[in-house]
Amino acid sequence: MNILVSGSLAYDRIMDFPGKFSDHILPDKIHMLNVCFMINGLMENFGGTAGNIAYALSLLGEDPTIIATGGRDFEPYRNWLKKNKISTEHIKIINTELTAGAYITTDQSDNQITAFNPGAMKFNSEVNFDFVIPEKTLAIVAPGNLGDMVNFSTLYKKKGIDYIFDPGQSLPAWTQELLTEMIHGSKILICNDYEQQLIQEKTSMSIDDILEKTKTLIVTKGEFGSVIMVKENNKIRSIDIPVAKAEQINDPTGAGDAYRAGLIKGLMVSKNNVVHAAKIGAVCAAYCVEVYGPQNFHFTPESFNKRFGSVFGERAF
């Protein structure tokens, strides 16, 4: 099976401020804000939805194809992907732009100020899909270039390629019509509980309506696990998937992407058993939250199966 992973590629640059933002911002001067926060240091991580999902899939023994854009500073990221045996063949380089970057400053109260430069992500990937065999392909449309998200979901439906639609942080950008169209025909719509509410508000659809457009709705709920919703005999059936307990929680960044990678792996090895797939997603997400950064966790298929067995009492794959 070929796995197509479209979305963003980005450098996450995380900075720690050894104080509280509130001590340096005067409420009565907020209209003329001019502050400088002296940080302790900067840590750079490889990130972005496509990169994070592909990285976790590679640990799970898969060979994903990333479809995204990078900038003129992409070479270190390319080397990292190659080191992890992830193809970079369909990553388009925009030499006039930097790779997308998130600049995140966190204070001692865990408040964050983030600036995001889309950079190369402003450009479409423009991929030729002649290499794809539809019946042997599973795709995920994750948050990234907006044009790609529309074009790929349309093309996948036209070619008969099963795809997971993951609108995520792109949700505020969509009109009711476009969001509804991308959901329509997807194999799975996946979102967190906040995004679920936003999707319903933007599309004016109930859960029942959504399940007329997609086969399965998966809603992740952080520490409370996830829920799978399907429609059977005109009735909505909900299946709760427990969280896989983390040994320690250091950073939730990328956990949702890790869950999606596990979900994809599970769909491939369990003949589309979405319940089993979601359990694999839960364990993969647990590995991610135990470390800082979305691509700094490690496991082998063997150690993953051992941990999965301790949580769910069976083999993952």
Side-chain angles (χ1 to χ4, degrees), residues 10-277:
Y11 289 109
D12 292 337
R13 297 177 172 105
I14 302 170
M15 297 158 277
D16 289 322
F17 174 59
K20 297 181 179 180
F21 296 144
S22 57
D23 293 336
H24 301 270
I25 298 175
L26 303 175
D28 60 334
K29 300 293 184 181
I30 197 72
H31 62 289
M32 50 184 295
L33 187 64
N34 187 352
V35 295
C36 176
F37 299 112
M38 189 68 68
I39 62 171
N40 278 335
L42 182 148
M43 182 171 63
E44 183 176 84
N45 287 303
F46 301 115
T49 55
N52 295 343
I53 294 169
Y55 173 75
L57 278 166
S58 72
L59 294 181
L60 288 162
E62 296 299 330
D63 184 21
T65 297
I66 295 177
I67 302 173
T69 54
R72 61 179 180 268
D73 59 342
F74 188 68
E75 197 60 21
Y77 205 152
R78 183 193 304 278
N79 293 337
W80 168 252
L81 294 172
K82 288 183 176 179
K83 179 181 177 181
N84 287 281
K85 300 179 181 179
I86 300 170
S87 172
T88 61
E89 180 181 357
H90 297 286
I91 297 173
K92 181 181 177 181
I93 300 301
I94 310 297
N95 289 312
T96 56
E97 295 280 353
L98 295 171
T99 302
Y103 301 81
I104 307 163
T105 305
T106 306
D107 74 359
Q108 289 184 328
S109 297
D110 286 332
N111 296 307
Q112 291 185 327
I113 296 176
T114 300
F116 183 77
N117 171 35
M121 200 179 77
K122 294 181 291 188
F123 294 80
N124 290 5
S125 300
E126 298 177 349
V127 173
N128 185 324
F129 285 92
D130 288 346
F131 69 97
V132 173
I133 301 173
E135 61 271 19
K136 294 183 178 180
T137 302
L138 176 61
I140 181 167
V141 178
N145 176 272
L146 300 181
D148 281 349
M149 295 179 73
V150 174
N151 295 338
F152 294 164
S153 60
T154 300
L155 183 142
Y156 293 155
K157 280 181 280 196
K158 183 178 179 180
K159 286 183 172 289
I161 296 171
D162 284 339
Y163 73 95
I164 299 167
F165 182 50
D166 172 23
Q169 59 263 44
S170 75
L171 276 170
W174 299 114
T175 63
Q176 177 180 358
E177 181 181 10
L178 281 175
L179 183 57
T180 302
E181 180 58 29
M182 287 185 288
I183 293 170
H184 191 196
S186 61
K187 179 183 180 70
I188 295 172
L189 169 64
I190 186 167
C191 57
N192 63 33
D193 46 0
Y194 174 80
E195 292 161 355
Q196 174 201 334
Q197 183 177 345
L198 190 55
I199 289 170
Q200 290 187 248
E201 290 177 356
K202 289 187 75 75
T203 63
S204 299
M205 289 195 292
S206 64
I207 298 297
D208 191 77
D209 295 330
I210 290 172
L211 288 173
E212 289 292 329
K213 303 288 186 183
T214 187
K215 294 179 181 178
T216 305
L217 171 62
I218 298 179
V219 180
T220 59
K221 299 184 176 183
E223 62 181 313
F224 301 107
S226 57
V227 59
I228 299 168
M229 286 176 264
V230 294
K231 203 167 185 180
E232 297 177 350
N233 299 320
N234 292 320
K235 292 183 179 180
I236 297 173
R237 179 186 174 212
S238 295
I239 306 144
D240 291 320
I241 305 298
V243 68
K245 188 176 180 181
E247 294 178 1
Q248 57 186 357
I249 298 177
N250 280 318
D251 179 16
T253 306
D257 295 329
Y259 180 101
R260 284 148 177 77
L263 177 73
I264 292 168
K265 173 69 174 183
L267 291 172
M268 296 180 65
V269 300
S270 65
K271 297 182 179 180
N272 291 316
N273 182 334
V274 70
V275 173
H276 186 75

